[in-house]
Amino acid sequence: MTTDTSKQAEHSREVPGWTGRLFEDFTVGDIYYHPFGKTVTEADNQWFTLVTQNVAKTHVDRNFAAATEFGRPLVNSTFTLALVTGQSTIDLSMNVFSNMGWDEVRMPAPVFEGDTIYSRSKVLAVRESKSRPNLGLVTVATEGFNQDGVVVISYRRTFMVYRQGHLPSVDAARPDESSLPSVGGPW
């Protein structure tokens, strides 16, 4: 395949990446299927359990876990909560000011090492902050589900997010763009 570079622009343009939603971008009833899944490994489960000083043998002792009704280690439930919250960040809280809380956290099915977890969220409420006019509050219902479509966690989360025109900006030094290759090659 050849590329006709004569039709390409002589100059490059900077294309902004995804910068996340602000308060005004949320509408009650919207559903987001978050784009990233994660296969939970033994290392994920062991590391998270040990770093949080959780002493439950069912997460870190394969011999003990084999004697339970599950027959294998259970993934630490707070890891599942953290993972699904993290998966939702790209759609919900990339521009968060603060999390206000998680409510009604339920674990209807176990998560095992080797399961792949996906998630989705539905916007339940949006309201302006009475005390902080530069922020708004958003409440969502989020579910995490495994590769078989089985819901393994559900919760409600409320967070404060910046309003349009109030997101803090960061000026970071950038290298000169002359080090990038020219359009059309040769490479």
Side-chain angles (χ1 to χ4, degrees):
M1 178 179 162
T2 61
T3 302
D4 182 6
T5 58
S6 64
K7 295 181 181 180
Q8 295 177 355
E10 289 183 20
H11 300 297
S12 298
R13 63 187 176 106
E14 183 179 330
V15 180
W18 175 241
T19 58
R21 288 181 176 80
L22 297 168
F23 175 71
E24 292 80 3
D25 298 319
F26 291 97
T27 301
V28 172
D30 285 354
I31 298 173
Y32 303 105
Y33 278 81
H34 309 302
F36 303 113
K38 164 82 169 98
T39 301
V40 181
T41 67
E42 178 183 11
D44 294 329
N45 192 31
Q46 293 269 333
W47 175 83
F48 190 88
T49 299
L50 296 173
V51 80
T52 58
Q53 298 182 343
N54 182 331
V55 296
K57 293 185 276 187
T58 194
H59 303 312
V60 296
D61 184 332
R62 191 168 294 284
N63 287 329
F64 177 85
T68 70
E69 68 181 272
F70 300 110
R72 56 190 167 152
L74 289 174
V75 170
N76 186 315
S77 57
T78 54
F79 173 84
T80 304
L81 176 62
L83 173 61
V84 171
T85 298
Q87 288 177 337
S88 73
T89 300
I90 191 167
D91 291 317
L92 302 177
S93 53
M94 198 166 158
N95 293 316
V96 72
F97 172 77
S98 66
N99 281 302
M100 305 305 290
W102 287 257
D103 297 302
E104 301 176 36
V105 178
R106 302 290 181 266
M107 307 284 195
V111 176
F112 299 106
E113 295 166 357
D115 282 347
T116 301
I117 304 302
Y118 303 93
S119 58
R120 65 183 177 191
S121 298
K122 183 175 187 176
V123 179
L124 301 178
V126 294
R127 72 173 177 86
E128 296 178 3
S129 172
K130 293 177 179 120
S131 62
R132 296 175 182 261
N134 60 327
L135 302 169
L137 285 98
V138 178
T139 300
V140 297
T142 298
E143 294 179 326
F145 52 95
N146 68 17
Q147 65 281 352
D148 299 319
V150 175
V151 174
V152 297
I153 185 172
S154 64
Y155 58 85
R156 292 177 188 239
R157 177 168 69 119
T158 300
F159 53 91
M160 294 182 92
V161 64
Y162 287 98
R163 295 184 65 128
Q164 290 177 2
H166 297 281
L167 184 67
S169 64
V170 177
D171 291 326
R174 292 180 170 185
D176 184 275
E177 292 178 2
S178 64
S179 62
L180 294 169
S182 62
V183 176
W187 300 286

